[in-house]
């Protein structure tokens, strides 16, 4: 992957993300014992034209969404991570998220969480939209549509990992899984994620 | 002059940032182990003191059920069912650390509600009482030992008492016998 080319495309992106979205992945690096590599990641991002300073980020402050995408691409590049690693990292994120702690009212049951998810999305992004499309207690499934969110294909994996963890917080089951069944990068009008549990 | 909307927005952002730092600092400082639990019984937040006492890192335990941490699983489930209505609970439980060490703890549970009054879970604080328990057990043992020691002394005294009183009675009887014999002898001599 040519990161310079990716940055040129990413810089045109409009929209912002809460600092929390970036900081949770930094916590993941600590969890993986890669804290010492943070300077390297920051330096590489700076060289690519992103003026990020991890130590100065604030959870609730807004930052350009492309910084977050670039951070993930750089992590993938530096650590030679696979999509599975990225999925694992984003699945970890809600565990250390300040927003999750603060917005615990959204995680009181699967149904409540499902209905409140569009609000939760807006706590993280000032663009795109999450639509709580279908919830079935009987079929044990939830369907979400993510609209107007075409920033980079890697974010499909990030969303999947994150959504899954949120579901794991509110579904009393050891077996919860997620699948992206529609994707804007495959010609669909939106991303569709189906979460099922046993 | 009234602040502009942009100034108010900037101020609100700064206040939010300050609040965030305050909450994080306070949570890190708090010497009491505290966790936040959702209505399903799943741990959502875990402070530094809780990490220290349980030996679990926050990211290892967040997302797990609270019952993972305690020996009395049924009691926890009962508390979880009742806490929404009773609002507060305190008692003693046994914490199981990551290294499977069992620690007696005092727990305080307080239900949480959102601004609309809907139940959103509870806070649970716990503190290690193993030293107090050990002290209490030590004290109880000491009291037991002293009681046993005293009982032995009492038994000894009673035996002594029985012995001395028995001898006194015998002496009295003998004195009476001597007196009776003296009287009989005097009478015979006349």
């Amino acid at each position: 992957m040519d990161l310079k080319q990716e940055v040129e495309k990413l810089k045109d992106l409009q929209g912002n993300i809460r600092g929390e979205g970036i900081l949770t992945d930094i916590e993941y690096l600590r969890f993986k014992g890669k804290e010492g590599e943070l300077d390297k990641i920051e330096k590489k991002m700076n060289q690519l034209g992103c003026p990020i300073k991890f130590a100065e980020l604030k959870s609730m402050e807004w930052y350009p969404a492309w910084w977050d995408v670039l951070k993930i691409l750089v992590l993938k590049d530096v650590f030679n991570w696979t999509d599975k690693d990225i999925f694992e990292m984003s699945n970890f994120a809600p565990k250390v998220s300040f927003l999750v702690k603060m917005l615990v009212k959204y995680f009181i049951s699967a149904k409540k969480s499902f209905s409140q998810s569009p609000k939760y999305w807006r706590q993280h992004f000032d663009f795109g939209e999450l639509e709580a499309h279908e919830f079935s207690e009987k079929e044990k499934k939830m369907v979400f549509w993510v609209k107007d969110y075409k920033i980079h294909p890697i974010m499909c994996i990030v969303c999947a990992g994150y959504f899954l963890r949120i579901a794991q917080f509110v579904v009393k089951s050891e077996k919860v899984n997620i699948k992206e069944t529609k994707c804007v990068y495959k010609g669909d009008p939106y991303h569709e994620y189906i979460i099922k549990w046993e | 002059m009234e602040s502009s909307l942009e100034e108010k927005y900037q101020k609100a952002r700064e206040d939010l940032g300050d609040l965030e730092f305050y909450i994080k600092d306070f949570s890190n400082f708090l010497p009491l182990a505290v966790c936040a639990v959702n209505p399903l019984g799943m741990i959502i937040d875990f402070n530094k003191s809780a990490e220290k006492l349980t030996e679990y890192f926050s990211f290892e335990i967040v997302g797990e059920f609270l019952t993972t941490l305690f020996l009395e699983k049924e009691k926890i489930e009962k508390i979880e069912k009742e806490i929404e209505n009773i609002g507060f609970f305190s008692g003693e439980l046994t914490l199981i650390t990551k290294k499977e060490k069992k620690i007696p703890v005092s727990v305080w549970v307080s239900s949480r509600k959102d601004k609309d009054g809907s139940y959103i879970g509870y806070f649970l604080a716990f503190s290690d009482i193993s030293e107090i328990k050990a002290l209490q057990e030590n004290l109880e043992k000491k009291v037991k030992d002293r009681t046993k020691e005293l009982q032995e002394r009492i038994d000894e005294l009673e035996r002594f008492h029985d012995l001395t009183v028995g001898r006194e009675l015998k002496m009295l009887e003998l004195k009476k016998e001597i007196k009776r014999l003296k009287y009989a002898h005097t009478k015979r001599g006349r």
Side-chain angles (χ1 to χ4, degrees):
Chain A
M1 186 191 305
D2 186 341
L3 285 173
K4 276 184 185 168
Q5 267 185 10
E6 292 288 341
V7 169
E8 289 316 308
K9 281 188 267 174
L10 286 173
K11 275 182 176 173
D12 293 335
L13 278 176
Q14 296 296 310
N16 299 289
I17 183 173
R18 291 262 200 197
E20 187 68 18
I22 303 169
L23 288 168
T24 50
D25 292 345
I26 304 306
E27 283 300 312
Y28 183 74
L29 291 188
R30 289 196 178 104
F31 165 63
K32 283 284 185 186
K34 295 184 183 294
E35 197 176 353
E37 308 280 335
L38 262 177
D39 281 350
K40 196 173 165 186
I41 305 293
E42 188 175 283
K43 211 172 172 184
K44 185 146 192 176
M45 288 179 72
N46 294 163
Q47 282 167 353
L48 287 162
C50 172
I52 198 163
K53 296 253 182 296
F54 291 131
E56 289 173 13
L57 294 182
K58 292 176 185 172
S59 297
M60 306 301 285
E61 193 56 85
W62 294 97
Y63 300 94
W66 71 269
W67 289 15
D68 186 41
V69 183
L70 182 65
K71 172 209 66 190
I72 293 161
L73 295 177
V74 169
L75 286 174
K76 208 168 182 272
D77 185 61
V78 170
F79 300 125
N80 205 18
W81 278 352
T82 62
D83 287 353
K84 200 180 162 208
D85 296 317
I86 300 299
F87 181 87
E88 193 189 298
M89 179 172 75
S90 49
N91 186 246
F92 173 91
K95 282 186 162 201
V96 290
S97 165
F98 180 70
L99 267 173
V100 168
K101 292 165 193 171
M102 207 176 75
L103 303 171
V104 67
K105 62 181 178 180
Y106 293 152
F107 311 112
I108 58 174
S109 70
K111 199 168 184 179
K112 177 96 177 176
S113 216
F114 172 80
S115 66
Q116 298 293 312
S117 57
K119 280 189 197 171
Y120 187 68
W121 175 274
R122 286 193 290 276
Q123 295 281 359
H124 287 76
F125 302 99
D126 67 355
F127 67 104
E129 188 192 347
L130 180 71
E131 191 178 313
H133 180 66
E134 188 191 339
F135 179 88
S136 171
E137 193 86 64
K138 198 180 159 193
E139 290 179 58
K140 295 182 176 176
K141 74 166 187 180
M142 295 185 250
V143 182
F144 296 99
W145 287 354
V146 180
K147 295 175 170 175
D148 305 321
Y149 187 73
K150 193 176 182 179
I151 57 175
H152 194 280
I154 195 73
M155 299 314 279
C156 299
I157 298 157
V158 172
C159 283
Y162 197 96
F163 292 171
L164 178 66
R165 174 60 62 189
I166 296 296
Q168 287 166 328
F169 274 156
V170 290
V171 172
K172 251 190 168 172
S173 169
E174 292 289 319
K175 288 181 181 171
V176 189
N177 59 66
I178 188 163
K179 203 171 178 185
E180 189 186 24
T181 47
K182 284 180 186 170
C183 177
V184 292
Y185 296 103
K186 289 174 185 163
D188 296 308
Y190 47 80
H191 303 269
E192 182 181 78
Y193 291 93
I194 301 182
I195 296 172
K196 287 185 176 175
W197 62 95
E198 289 177 19
Chain B
M1 200 172 77
E2 201 179 322
S3 316
S4 70
L5 207 60
E6 180 58 36
E7 282 170 338
K8 280 180 182 168
Y9 175 63
Q10 186 55 36
K11 183 78 181 70
R13 281 167 62 170
E14 282 171 17
D15 290 348
L16 199 61
D18 289 344
L19 195 62
E20 179 199 332
F21 277 113
Y22 173 77
I23 291 168
K24 283 181 179 172
D25 277 356
F26 185 70
S27 174
N28 288 341
F29 148 77
L30 206 62
L32 186 68
V34 178
C35 60
V37 184
N38 77 2
L40 278 85
M42 211 173 272
I43 299 165
I44 296 294
D45 194 11
F46 208 64
N47 77 345
K48 287 272 178 228
S49 296
E51 284 187 339
K52 200 175 163 190
L53 188 55
T54 63
E55 296 162 336
Y56 280 107
F57 283 114
S58 172
F59 48 71
E60 290 176 308
I61 201 73
V62 165
E64 298 296 328
F65 289 107
L66 183 74
T67 46
T68 315
L69 285 179
F70 296 98
L71 186 68
E72 300 86 351
K73 312 218 181 285
E74 284 178 14
K75 195 172 177 183
I76 296 273
E77 282 166 6
K78 194 168 174 258
I79 296 166
E80 281 174 346
K81 277 180 193 160
E82 293 174 356
I83 197 68
E84 183 179 352
N85 300 320
I86 59 174
F88 185 79
F89 167 86
S90 68
E92 284 182 18
L93 292 171
T94 314
L95 178 78
I96 307 169
T97 68
K98 192 179 169 185
K99 290 174 186 162
E100 300 199 340
K101 190 178 158 196
K102 292 186 178 97
I103 301 175
V105 287
S106 254
V107 299
W108 300 270
V109 184
S110 182
S111 72
R112 298 177 66 193
K113 291 185 175 171
D114 67 10
K115 61 180 170 51
D116 303 319
S118 303
Y119 175 63
I120 58 166
Y122 56 90
F123 282 124
L124 182 134
F126 48 105
S127 74
D128 183 355
I129 53 166
S130 53
E131 277 185 25
I132 296 169
K133 279 270 177 193
L135 211 66
Q136 193 182 340
E137 275 169 24
N138 195 22
L139 211 64
E140 278 171 7
K141 192 180 174 294
K142 269 186 184 165
V143 168
K144 210 174 160 184
D145 289 349
R146 285 304 297 270
T147 308
K148 196 183 165 195
E149 204 178 295
L150 280 170
Q151 190 58 51
E152 281 169 5
R153 292 292 300 275
I154 289 168
D155 291 348
E156 200 179 308
L157 278 169
E158 273 179 355
R159 277 199 304 276
F160 181 73
H161 175 261
D162 290 349
L163 200 72
T164 50
V165 167
R167 204 165 64 185
E168 286 287 318
L169 287 172
K170 193 74 182 170
M171 279 176 76
L172 275 174
E173 267 178 39
L174 284 170
K175 274 182 184 172
K176 274 182 192 171
E177 183 66 14
I178 292 167
K179 209 173 174 184
R180 193 183 58 79
L181 285 171
K182 265 187 182 174
Y183 178 71
H185 179 71
T186 315
K187 212 176 172 184
R188 208 180 292 151
R190 275 179 193 165

